[in-house]
């Protein structure tokens, strides 16, 4: 018999849709995937070289569980440089990806009886990581009409004595929208008033458009900083998803707990990847600008295309590499004798008939939308949009 907790969770739906598309591709079907959650760029050469050097120099053994000093220092410098945040080495834990950082936080902070507020649309793993630790996710729905921003009154209404934390993600996967200083200040005020931790997933901080400047909620005040655990990592910024490095920064006692948990589970993150991450953070950053310019070009094209489809509306993403169009007008329509009831039906239809892979909004706790990643070439976006348009035209 499996442990009870297994009944509470499901496999990551984004990975599942991507796997389905890959399976179709492997069987010879020409599928265009907009389901991926990673940049379509290769890791820059200077970062690869650092890893090769680490291997050649024999840096292939266990490291301290919470990460090597050199990487912690590079992370400390990054926080100072980009976010005006000051941490010392005891306040940093390096893990095997930001997802792992978030999981360690969940293990360190959430337990039976605790409630964790998660604004929706949310990144797929947040509720399941809360559930895996026998705590309760409390979903705070937000609306496209409000740019998916958090209404402070709605947030405060959900706060109870059991509220342990709120998980924020900006720029957001799946909406591509982000929070400005005003919204962050409002959330911070509520967190401080009630003594709630803020888990701030800022993995897309560098992938922002239109000259936007990212603000970390931890930088709003010393009081907020004490309650905030900032999560970040090189996966998206440096196209390093396979290297599995992520990090968290915050209160010493929480970091100590996370380091202990890690020392009893995974031990250190990969030694070679840690060396690569040092070079990513300390080395030239111009690669990011090149990637952002290209993402921006695709974003503008894609959003115009989506909005040109009758019945579809899409907000202009401010960051990350996702568009999150409203597809409610297509629900209730039929393909042959099959009625498209929800976003999942629509994604299945578009995959089977249009040969285009997308992720349903329901995976992110928000029905009536689909997520489209534009971390794929312009040619594929052009061809994919043609397919989507013609498949949607077939719906009656
Ligand atoms: C991709 C992603 C992560 C996880 O990235 P890692 O590869 O585990 O570092 C975390 N949060 C969000 C919102 C993401 O999209």
């Amino acid at each position: 018999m499996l442990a009870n907790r297994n009944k509470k969770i499901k496999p990551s739906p984004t990975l599942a849709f991507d796997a389905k598309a890959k399976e179709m591709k492997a069987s010879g079907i020409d599928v265009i995937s907009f389901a991926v959650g990673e940049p379509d760029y290769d890791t820059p050469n200077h970062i690869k070289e650092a890893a090769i050097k680490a291997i050649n120099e024999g840096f292939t053994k266990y490291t301290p569980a919470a990460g090597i000093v050199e990487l912690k220092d590079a992370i400390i410098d990054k926080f100072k440089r980009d976010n005006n945040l000051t941490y010392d080495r005891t306040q940093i834990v390096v893990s095997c990806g930001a997802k792992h950082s978030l999981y360690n936080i969940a293990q360190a902070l959430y337990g039976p009886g605790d409630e964790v507020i998660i604004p929706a649309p949310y990144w797929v793993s947040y509720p399941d990581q809360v559930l895996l630790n026998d705590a309760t996710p409390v979903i705070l729905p937000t609306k496209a009409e409000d740019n998916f921003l958090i209404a402070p009154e709605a947030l405060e209404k959900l706060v109870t004595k059991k509220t342990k934390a709120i998980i924020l993600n900006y720029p957001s996967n799946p909406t591509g929208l982000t929070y400005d200083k005003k919204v962050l200040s409002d959330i911070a005020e509520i967190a401080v008033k009630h003594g709630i931790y803020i888990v701030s997933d800022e993995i897309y901080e560098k992938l922002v458009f239109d000259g936007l400047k990212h603000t970390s909620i931890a930088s709003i005040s010393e009081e907020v900083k004490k309650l905030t655990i900032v999560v970040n990592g090189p996966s998206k910024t440096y196209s390093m998803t396979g290297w599995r490095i992520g990090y968290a920064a915050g209160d010493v006692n929480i970091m100590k707990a996370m380091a202990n948990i890690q020392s009893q589970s995974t031990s250190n993150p990969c030694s070679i990847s840690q060396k690569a991450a040092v070079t990513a953070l300390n080395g030239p950053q111009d690669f990011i600008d090149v990637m952002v310019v290209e993402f921006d070009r695709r974003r503008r094209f894609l959003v115009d295309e989506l909005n040109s489809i009758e019945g579809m509306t899409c907000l202009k993403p401010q960051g990350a590499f996702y568009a999150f169009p409203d597809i409610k007008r297509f629900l209730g329509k039929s393909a042959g004798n099959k009625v498209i009831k929800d976003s999942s039906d629509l994604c299945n239809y578009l995959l089977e008939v249009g040969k285009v892979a997308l992720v349903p909004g329901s995976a992110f706790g928000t029905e009536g939308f689909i997520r489209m990643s534009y971390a794929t070439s312009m040619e594929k976006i052009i061809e994919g949009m043609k397919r989507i348009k013609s498949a949607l035209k077939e719906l009656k």
Side-chain angles (χ1 to χ4, degrees):
M1 273 287 270
L2 294 175
N4 231 354
R5 73 176 69 87
N6 293 285
K7 293 191 195 116
K8 297 184 188 170
I9 65 155
K10 54 188 183 317
S12 162
T14 43
L15 296 182
F17 259 89
D18 195 42
K20 196 163 160 186
K22 282 186 177 133
E23 224 170 80
M24 285 172 73
K25 244 183 230 170
S27 68
I29 303 167
D30 160 39
V31 176
I32 294 179
S33 183
F34 295 112
V36 286
E38 59 186 353
D40 53 318
Y41 283 82
D42 196 2
T43 306
N45 266 326
H46 68 283
I47 298 174
K48 288 186 185 173
E49 290 300 335
I52 293 163
K53 183 162 172 276
I55 294 174
N56 287 335
E57 287 175 356
F59 197 73
T60 53
K61 302 291 169 67
Y62 291 133
T63 76
I68 55 175
V69 164
E70 200 186 351
L71 179 50
K72 283 190 174 183
D73 286 349
I75 292 165
I76 289 166
D77 290 348
K78 174 245 154 336
F79 276 121
K80 188 79 221 149
R81 184 171 69 230
D82 295 339
N83 311 106
N84 195 27
L85 288 168
T86 307
Y87 294 106
D88 62 40
R89 289 173 187 167
T90 65
Q91 293 180 284
I92 308 284
V93 173
V94 184
S95 299
C96 311
K99 189 186 270 190
H100 186 220
S101 302
L102 288 158
Y103 189 75
N104 285 336
I105 292 167
Q107 286 250 293
L109 285 185
Y110 319 147
D114 289 337
E115 294 176 353
V116 180
I117 297 176
I118 303 173
Y122 48 71
W123 185 53
V124 292
S125 293
Y126 301 143
D128 292 71
Q129 291 193 348
V130 171
L131 289 167
L132 273 172
N133 289 284
D134 302 314
T136 308
V138 175
I139 306 302
L140 167 58
T142 64
K143 296 195 195 105
E145 300 92 273
D146 305 332
N147 289 324
F148 295 110
L149 293 175
I150 293 172
E153 318 76 54
L155 169 59
E156 197 155 24
K157 257 193 208 145
L158 292 185
V159 174
T160 71
K161 287 206 165 59
K162 295 176 180 171
T163 307
K164 192 66 173 274
I166 174 165
I167 305 178
L168 303 178
N169 171 219
Y170 54 98
S172 153
N173 175 2
T175 68
L177 296 173
T178 195
Y179 302 148
D180 62 15
K181 261 193 188 142
K182 168 82 179 74
V183 176
L184 292 172
S185 300
D186 288 346
I187 299 167
E189 196 181 312
I190 294 168
V192 169
K193 181 172 157 199
H194 298 278
I196 301 166
Y197 289 113
I198 301 167
V199 177
S200 187
D201 181 348
E202 302 178 22
I203 195 130
Y204 293 104
E205 88 174 307
K206 296 280 184 185
L207 306 184
V208 287
F209 310 115
D210 302 328
L212 217 83
K213 279 260 176 297
H214 174 87
T215 302
S216 173
I217 193 165
S219 68
I220 284 182
S221 73
E222 261 316 299
E223 277 173 303
V224 185
K225 185 178 170 223
K226 280 195 189 117
L227 288 170
T228 304
I229 304 141
V230 182
V231 175
N232 209 324
S235 279
K236 309 289 160 61
T237 310
Y238 304 97
S239 209
M240 289 177 70
T241 45
W243 299 73
R244 308 314 302 135
I245 295 289
Y247 51 86
D251 173 76
V252 179
N253 289 320
I254 299 172
M255 292 303 126
K256 229 183 247 167
M258 288 169 64
N260 288 346
I261 290 161
Q262 189 158 296
S263 76
Q264 297 290 13
S265 49
T266 56
S267 295
N268 61 274
C270 170
S271 61
I272 300 150
S273 298
Q274 289 189 67
K275 284 284 191 183
V278 170
T279 297
L281 289 173
N282 290 347
Q285 304 292 304
D286 38 336
F287 163 78
I288 305 170
D289 293 336
V290 175
M291 196 164 65
V292 168
V293 166
E294 177 57 21
F295 281 151
D296 184 23
R297 190 170 81 95
R298 297 174 192 172
R299 169 187 72 132
R300 282 180 285 140
F301 175 78
L302 178 64
V303 171
D304 285 349
E305 280 283 292
L306 290 169
N307 281 317
S308 77
I309 299 176
E310 207 187 316
M312 200 181 277
T313 50
C314 185
L315 292 167
K316 201 173 199 184
Q318 301 164 296
F321 37 68
Y322 309 102
F324 199 60
D326 183 326
I327 48 83
K328 285 188 210 81
R329 293 271 299 276
F330 296 93
L331 303 183
K333 294 196 176 200
S334 315
N337 51 11
K338 178 151 178 38
V339 181
I340 307 286
K341 292 184 305 298
D342 53 24
S343 55
S344 186
D345 283 352
L346 188 67
C347 287
N348 277 318
Y349 169 75
L350 288 171
L351 184 57
E352 278 153 28
V353 175
K355 308 284 181 279
V356 172
L358 301 140
V359 185
S362 52
F364 311 97
T366 309
E367 192 43 82
F369 293 81
I370 54 174
R371 189 193 76 173
M372 205 169 165
S373 160
Y374 49 89
T376 188
S377 69
M378 200 64 170
E379 294 71 50
K380 292 216 168 112
I381 294 171
I382 292 168
E383 171 61 20
M385 282 311 301
K386 268 190 207 145
R387 294 183 186 187
I388 290 172
K389 283 181 184 170
S390 81
L392 289 176
K393 273 207 191 102
E394 300 295 308
L395 293 176
K396 296 277 169 331

